[in-house]
Amino acid sequence: MRAVGRRWRISRALVTRASPRARDVAMVLVSLASGVVFAVTLHGHWPVAVVVAAGVACSVAAVALWWRRDHPVAVAVVTLVIAIATGLPVAFFLALLTLAVRRRDRVLAVVTAASFVLDVGRSIVTGTNVFSAVVGSVLFYSAVIAFGAYVGARRDLIDSLRARAETAEAERELRADQARLSERTRIAGEMHDVLAHKVSLIALHAGGLEVNPDAGPEQVERTAALVRTTAREALEDLRRVLGVLRTDESADGSDLAPPPQLSDIERLVAASRAAGVAISLTCDVAGTPPADVARTAHRVVQESLTNVHKHARSAATRVRVHGRAGAGLDVVVANQVPVAAASLLPGAGLGLVGLAERVSLVGGRLVAGPASDGGWRVAAHLPWPEPEEAS
């Protein structure tokens, strides 16, 4: 019994690995061989013309099997007619098997019922035992259709699993691409926030020396010290960001750098004043806002001052931060019309876009555009709920 099962598995593997056209050729050859045997059997019992006609009809049915994959219904009908006319059903059974593999619907039921009726009718006409014909047809048709339905269902299942696996693979690659894009966006945003302000300060200090070539040694030394200090801070920030990125496991990137507070805004303003920008700061905040609100407010001031360094370094600038719990936190950075129109550093125009996204993430609003006096104004309103609401 074990040997029989092993032979069956080997035979099934050989049939499965064979190419579709090789199986088509095998079916055509089997049908032709059965037609030759049938014609030889009829020889001597029927006229030569009848034998030749039967052989030609069986050959036509055998050759028609070549198109059984593309036109299973048509091939089944043609082979059924030839089988009823000649009494040789080999080609029809092969075509019916293919039809059961391809379709398990009303068409298969109609073709099977028609073949059963025609087969029983032929038995009645030829005088064959009707009961034996009915039983034999039912058993044989049932076996052919059951085997074909099993093969077809198994193929459909395999195709479905393959499609599902391909879809899952495509979704996995899409999620990986989205994760990489999100990570790049996080890195770009953090690098911009950390480095753009410091680099703009360096450019501002260097620009001050360029426009004032007659500065004394003390001024040059003081400016060089500021440039060196700012550059060292920028490198330290860069090293810290890159170090955290190598081991970052957070989903939102909150640990990329220590979160800034409202008190850090004074240091931003002081650094800009040291670079020669005329800035006034008004901070009227009652209480301590949530960490995300404070961080966003700091980023608003930082990005606004970075743009002032780039495009309006000679303009007087006002920074105003005021708010309380329940009323929200308002941050306004406005500069007058700059005297010098040239920019120290090129701008990509993406800073305000990223800033608007940061503000929207905390549920706030950002308005940036020309002011009534011809300068530029950036205003952000950040929600600051009451302590009981925040809890």
Side-chain angles (χ1 to χ4, degrees):
M1 194 65 174
R2 187 175 300 175
V4 174
R6 184 171 178 273
R7 293 194 190 95
W8 164 252
R9 287 193 298 270
I10 294 176
S11 302
R12 188 176 64 178
L14 292 176
V15 172
T16 303
R17 293 176 182 177
S19 64
R21 284 309 178 188
R23 294 196 292 269
D24 292 341
V25 171
M27 287 190 175
V28 171
L29 292 178
V30 169
S31 183
L32 284 176
S34 64
V36 171
V37 173
F38 180 69
V40 171
T41 303
L42 290 180
H43 184 66
H45 302 280
W46 294 88
V48 177
V50 175
V51 174
V52 172
V56 172
C58 292
S59 300
V60 171
V63 174
L65 293 175
W66 181 261
W67 293 278
R68 65 188 180 89
R69 298 178 185 275
D70 299 328
H71 309 283
V73 179
V75 172
V77 172
V78 170
T79 54
L80 172 61
V81 173
I82 295 176
I84 296 299
T86 60
L88 183 63
V90 176
F92 169 67
F93 284 137
L94 294 176
L96 184 63
L97 176 65
T98 301
L99 183 61
V101 171
R102 296 283 177 170
R103 307 184 60 163
R104 292 169 298 283
D105 52 7
R106 188 178 302 175
V107 174
L108 177 62
V110 170
V111 173
T112 304
S115 62
F116 177 77
V117 171
L118 292 176
D119 196 12
V120 173
R122 185 177 184 279
S123 300
I124 296 174
V125 171
T126 58
T128 309
N129 190 329
V130 177
F131 178 77
S132 300
V134 170
V135 173
S137 298
V138 169
L139 293 178
F140 208 79
Y141 287 160
S142 299
V144 172
I145 293 175
F147 182 73
Y150 164 75
V151 174
R154 186 173 181 272
R155 288 183 180 178
D156 292 344
L157 177 60
I158 293 175
D159 292 340
S160 175
L161 294 177
R162 183 180 295 111
R164 190 177 302 176
E166 292 175 354
T167 302
E169 181 68 17
E171 291 178 352
R172 187 189 66 80
E173 293 180 358
L174 179 60
R175 286 194 297 269
D177 292 340
Q178 291 175 346
R180 285 192 291 267
L181 179 60
S182 176
E183 185 68 14
R184 290 178 181 178
T185 304
R186 288 175 51 203
I187 294 173
E190 190 65 23
M191 297 297 290
H192 179 274
D193 292 338
V194 172
L195 296 181
H197 186 73
K198 297 292 178 62
V199 173
S200 66
L201 286 175
I202 294 173
L204 200 59
H205 289 305
L209 289 179
E210 183 180 5
V211 299
N212 190 17
D214 298 331
E218 295 181 357
Q219 177 66 26
V220 173
E221 183 179 356
R222 185 166 55 252
T223 303
L226 289 174
V227 170
R228 183 179 66 253
T229 302
T230 307
R232 185 176 64 253
E233 293 176 354
L235 289 176
E236 291 177 354
D237 292 339
L238 175 62
R239 187 180 300 109
R240 184 177 63 251
V241 171
L242 293 179
V244 175
L245 283 175
R246 292 190 184 98
T247 58
D248 180 35
E249 297 180 355
S250 64
D252 56 355
S254 58
D255 58 346
L256 285 175
Q261 304 296 327
L262 286 180
S263 58
D264 295 327
I265 295 179
E266 297 181 2
R267 286 198 290 270
L268 292 176
V269 173
S272 297
R273 286 173 179 169
V277 180
I279 299 181
S280 62
L281 172 63
T282 302
C283 187
D284 182 16
V285 180
T288 302
D292 56 345
V293 175
R295 181 169 59 250
T296 304
H298 178 274
R299 295 306 189 193
V300 171
V301 176
Q302 185 182 51
E303 177 61 27
S304 301
L305 292 183
T306 300
N307 290 334
V308 170
H309 300 164
K310 292 180 181 178
H311 311 295
R313 60 188 183 277
S314 61
T317 303
R318 302 184 307 276
V319 178
R320 184 167 183 262
V321 183
H322 65 95
R324 59 181 175 82
L329 186 67
D330 292 293
V331 181
V332 179
V333 180
N335 62 270
Q336 298 178 355
V337 180
V339 177
S343 299
L344 284 177
L345 295 173
L350 299 179
L352 290 177
V353 175
L355 190 61
E357 184 177 356
R358 284 182 178 273
V359 172
S360 65
L361 286 177
V362 297
R365 302 186 307 273
L366 179 72
V367 179
S372 58
D373 58 356
W376 190 265
R377 182 175 183 270
V378 177
H381 176 76
L382 307 176
W384 183 356
E386 294 285 353
E388 54 270 17
E389 296 179 3
S391 59

